[in-house]
């Protein structure tokens, strides 16, 4: 379906990369403390911010819209639950029975900055390099020739981007902007990692945002549908009147 629509290059986006890391963490490497931190920071930072930025909506009858919301909001909910419920609740269990690794505080500021900031950025740059190689080098001609969509094109067509950065954003400008947004949202995720109530507030906000966007979608969707039905009834009424007159 997505290939036929020309959307398959979206699979190279950061959200898919982060989701794969979370799946790997839960399935194969749940006792890796560094990976737990990275997944939490990605899920509660850049991914969740996309719910607001790209108007993620709880629209139950549209699989594409629902999938988009699930890619960005569900990882946040999962890592929020792991960080603030699963890991604390298993502290009394023997090591062999624990599902996830314990998360002790870092001994020094240097180790804290390394695990919470440096390593997540290093893993981010691994994605960034591969995304740039694929979309701006290896597949660039194919994307342009066949008119395929990707995050870069979507970003450039956003009204807010056109107002702030103009109509011609270079690939380098896009990647720098993406990194700046990543850092800003990453800092909010660091706050969520350390404070339960801040994390709860963010989860609540993005959840309500998705419901609100879904409600707005349905209001617009059904109003247009109702308007179309009225136009069809009016057309039938005019045709009936015309037949009676004739």
């Amino acid at each position: 379906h997505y290939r036929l629509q020309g959307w398959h290059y979206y699979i190279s986006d950061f959200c898919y990369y982060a989701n794969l890391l979370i799946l790997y963490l839960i399935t194969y490497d749940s006792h890796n403390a560094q990976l737990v931190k990275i997944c939490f920071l990605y899920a509660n930072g850049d991914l969740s911010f996309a719910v607001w930025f790209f108007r993620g909506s709880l629209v139950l009858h549209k699989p594409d819209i629902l999938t988009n919301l699930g890619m960005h909001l569900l990882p946040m909910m999962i890592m929020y639950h792991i960080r603030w419920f699963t890991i604390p609740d298993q502290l009394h269990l023997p090591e062999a029975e624990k599902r996830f690794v314990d998360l002790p505080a870092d001994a020094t500021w240097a180790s804290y900055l390394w695990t919470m900031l440096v390593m997540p950025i290093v893993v981010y740059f691994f994605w960034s390099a591969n995304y740039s190689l694929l979309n701006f080098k290896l597949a660039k001609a194919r994307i342009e020739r066949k008119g395929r969509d990707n995050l870069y094109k979507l970003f450039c067509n956003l009204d807010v981007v056109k107002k702030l950065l103009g109509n011609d954003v270079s690939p380098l400008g896009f990647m720098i902007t993406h990194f700046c947004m990543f850092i800003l949202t990453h800092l909010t995720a660091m706050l969520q990692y350390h404070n339960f109530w801040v994390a709860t507030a963010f989860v609540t906000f993005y959840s309500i945002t998705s419901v609100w966007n879904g409600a707005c979608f349905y209001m617009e969707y059904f109003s247009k549908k109702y308007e179309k039905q009225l136009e069809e009834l009016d057309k039938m009424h005019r045709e009936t009147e015309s037949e009676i007159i004739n």
Side-chain angles (χ1 to χ4, degrees), residues 97-113:
E97 297 181 14
K98 291 181 179 180
R99 181 65 179 83
F100 290 92
V101 66
D102 294 336
L103 296 174
D106 292 291
T108 63
W109 274 105
S111 63
Y112 172 78
L113 292 175

Side-chain angles (χ1 to χ4, degrees), residues 186-201:
H186 187 83
L187 294 176
T188 66
M190 290 173 69
L191 292 176
Q192 296 176 61
Y193 180 86
H194 292 290
N195 190 292
F196 169 78
W197 294 109
V198 172
T200 302

Side-chain angles (χ1 to χ4, degrees), residues 15-28:
C15 61
Y16 286 90
Y17 177 65
N19 271 272
L20 285 174
L21 287 178
I22 294 170
L23 287 173
Y24 176 79
L25 165 73
I26 295 172
T27 308
Y28 298 108

